[in-house]
Amino acid sequence: MSEEKRNPLEEPIEAPAEVEEASGEDWKNFHPADAADHLEDLSLEQQLEVVGEMGVEEAANSIAEMEKHDRSELLDGLSLGLAADILQEMSPDDAADALYDLDEPKQNEILSKVKRDHAARIKRLMKYDSDTAGGVMNTEILYLDQNLSVDQAVNLIRKEIGEMEIPYYGFIVDQNDKIVGVVSLRELLMAKTGTRLKNLIKDQVLVSVTFDVHQEEVARLIKHYNLLALPVTDYEGKLLGVVTVDDVIDIIHEEASEDMQVMVGAGPDETVDSPWTYSVKKRLPWLVINVINSAVAAMVVAFFEGTIAQMAVLAVLMPIVANQAGNTGHQAMVVMIRQLAMEKFDRKKVWIAVLREAKIGVVNGLFIGVLVFFGVFLWTDTVPLALVMSAALCADMVIGSLAGASIPLILKELGRDPAQASSILLTTLTDSAGFFALLGLAAVFLLAG
Amino acid sequence: MSEEKRNPLEEPIEAPAEVEEASGEDWKNFHPADAADHLEDLSLEQQLEVVGEMGVEEAANSIAEMEKHDRSELLDGLSLGLAADILQEMSPDDAADALYDLDEPKQNEILSKVKRDHAARIKRLMKYDSDTAGGVMNTEILYLDQNLSVDQAVNLIRKEIGEMEIPYYGFIVDQNDKIVGVVSLRELLMAKTGTRLKNLIKDQVLVSVTFDVHQEEVARLIKHYNLLALPVTDYEGKLLGVVTVDDVIDIIHEEASEDMQVMVGAGPDETVDSPWTYSVKKRLPWLVINVINSAVAAMVVAFFEGTIAQMAVLAVLMPIVANQAGNTGHQAMVVMIRQLAMEKFDRKKVWIAVLREAKIGVVNGLFIGVLVFFGVFLWTDTVPLALVMSAALCADMVIGSLAGASIPLILKELGRDPAQASSILLTTLTDSAGFFALLGLAAVFLLAG
């Protein structure tokens, strides 16, 4: 343990002083989270040099806080011995995360130099999908036998607590390590000495998840029930680990901005620190799909090419319809995606929400329709054209509202991510419908007359 | 206190059993968070009836978990006496939140019936902006004089802990209530008895914020430093309250999905439960702005009306350019908005990120440009048109990438929300630039020849 005092509000990682402006040599005075930020700004060569100069414990804490891509590159560049020493200092779940993106031979090479039981724990964690309860849980937890008395439990905690990452509660298990309850330090301190743990928890209702539950559901449960930690078990209820509220913070932030990114076909885990080639790889396939989808809308226009040749002003009005309906549809869509992201899926409630969006679409569509009627009339001085434009715009805005609200739901019902490429689907639809309405109405009412 | 045991992983609200399917009368068996969900699904009349039948404590816990709009309506509909009794049972911060959206006379009427010191606490909290540290902090905290010994502190905690909302640490203050450190139960249990608190914390580096810091920054600090709680002070450092990690979960979720919503001009706090008229009010102004902006892009097209009259196929290609560049720009934009949302603003780093997006835009633009060249060539059998189209598309995709990455930064530099209506600004730009490039190149190279 270092000489400095931890801030007790933090997870018990070594967390020394925060220093706002520090030169390259002051790594000791950085909080690991800040050290990680600074490391990320250096080239790989500089990173390797700095990590070589750091203490192993400091290095472990800082690397654990680094962004995924940078962390993998750095770990890959270190000597096997140093990488193993650093992993040895990390908690098993941080170590598993850090190793996750290296290729398998490299993982095994490094792990072969880590102490046997620590390596075994890390390997066990790496088997879980990284976006499930198993992939995000901590395994350094306090098992308390249900037959202990409160005072025995407090003594055990006093002895063991220094090693634990989650020091605020113990997990009560039966003889088969099946979880039967949870007890907080606070409760232990308040309970009558001599009380058996199993009596302390006899009316407790335990919320727990199996290891294969998706992290978004884990986050939802912790948020919904204001939990500080959620036990993770196997199918038999045997305690495997625990997801704490601070892990969930990262998950919630990830999932919420993930939705925004996958909606437009960017990679869910892209950040400004990702290699630019990674971003190209993630985005280009969706751009190809988008260009093919755009071609569908273009075909609608092509069908009316003769109409446009006779009345080029329609080409002027087309982008207004498409853009406005797309915007309207997105407003409905993002509210629906937010709903699906963090609330329990309630089929009846969400389809009622589609009707709600339809109402909003009709009112907004009528208002903008009237506005645009006057705009087009003032500009072209022809009532029929202004009528056709405002009718097409209003209709497409209602279609946009309905489509925007429904697309995430339909994706969800199909078992897909409700946000995935939803923006691309939406604009294909609003573009096509808008062009069809505008050019179709024009062909029938303006050119036939 | 109820007879049932709390799950110790929760905040110490009364939190009885979770029951998946329960009839309308089983309110006692609901977790407050579930009871709140069920209340939200009822009509106001039904809600009032149910709340009348609930115990006051149950009602307080459930109403505290309800969605803002529903909560205000319900509270407004209750008799003054019952509303006051319910507020009396809530923690001051929950009570302040619940009152926040009522009109002032109603607030005062209800508060006049709440016990004097509780009402004073609630009023004090209501003075803070609801999206600042002061607006989200809890005030029921444990003040520990720095001259206490560890054993005196433990005794004090044992005596007081039942009343406290945040039972895991004490806040150490000097004689002027200025915060000097924080100590966890865990640390107190591990420390040598007799140690004075001020010696226990002498090397501690305290992270705290003043009451007026924005909740997004509060969330960022807690996330960045893995804090479980962050003390909130006045300008002199006097302790006012504390923001805990579970408050931050809601903030992070709010802020992240807020970004997605304000980006397209929906209200930041809209949900599927908001009244539909509220959504119309929030969205319509942005739709008006969008239609005016679309008119700008339309003017570009109008400028080339003659070109289109001669070559209607250009109108077919226009939407492809606009849609594709808009999509490309959005991909860049959402990654940038994510960065600005939760990382410390680092001007140099983010402008480097704009260059990163430019590179991605060039590569994706060239790829899609080549693809579209062959597409248009196969369809029209004319190389010059295919060349003009692919050049315009590629150029607009690069413009989209640059604009998408820059717009949030420019908004930020102007002191505005980086996400606000950024989608509307972006599509105005990509539409206009795309139409100008396509129609301009066509006018010069295809029609002049």
Side-chain angles (χ1 to χ4, degrees), chain A residues 360-371:
Chain A
I360 298 169
V362 168
V363 172
N364 284 344
L366 286 174
F367 187 94
I368 300 285
V370 170
L371 194 75

Side-chain angles (χ1 to χ4, degrees), chain B residues 310-378:
Chain B
Q310 288 179 63
M311 214 176 163
V313 67
L314 293 172
V316 177
L317 300 177
M318 274 167 44
I320 298 180
V321 176
N323 194 340
Q324 189 72 1
N327 192 185
T328 308
H330 273 96
Q331 291 178 337
M333 197 166 73
V334 293
V335 172
M336 193 61 86
I337 289 174
R338 169 187 246 184
Q339 171 71 17
L340 295 177
M342 280 306 288
E343 299 295 326
K344 199 166 174 170
F345 183 59
D346 176 342
R347 183 168 283 131
K348 193 179 143 209
K349 181 170 179 174
V350 289
W351 285 105
I352 289 173
V354 175
L355 289 179
R356 175 182 171 278
E357 289 297 343
K359 264 193 284 191
I360 298 169
V362 169
V363 172
N364 284 344
L366 286 175
F367 187 93
I368 299 288
V370 170
L371 194 72
V372 166
F373 173 84
F374 285 109
V376 175
F377 176 71
L378 286 177

Side-chain angles (χ1 to χ4, degrees), chain B residues 39 47-54 59 63 74 78 82 86:
Chain B
L39 275 174
Q47 286 178 15
L48 292 170
E49 193 181 320
V50 168
V51 169
E53 288 164 9
M54 277 176 159
I63 292 174
L74 173 55
L78 290 173
L82 184 53
I86 287 172

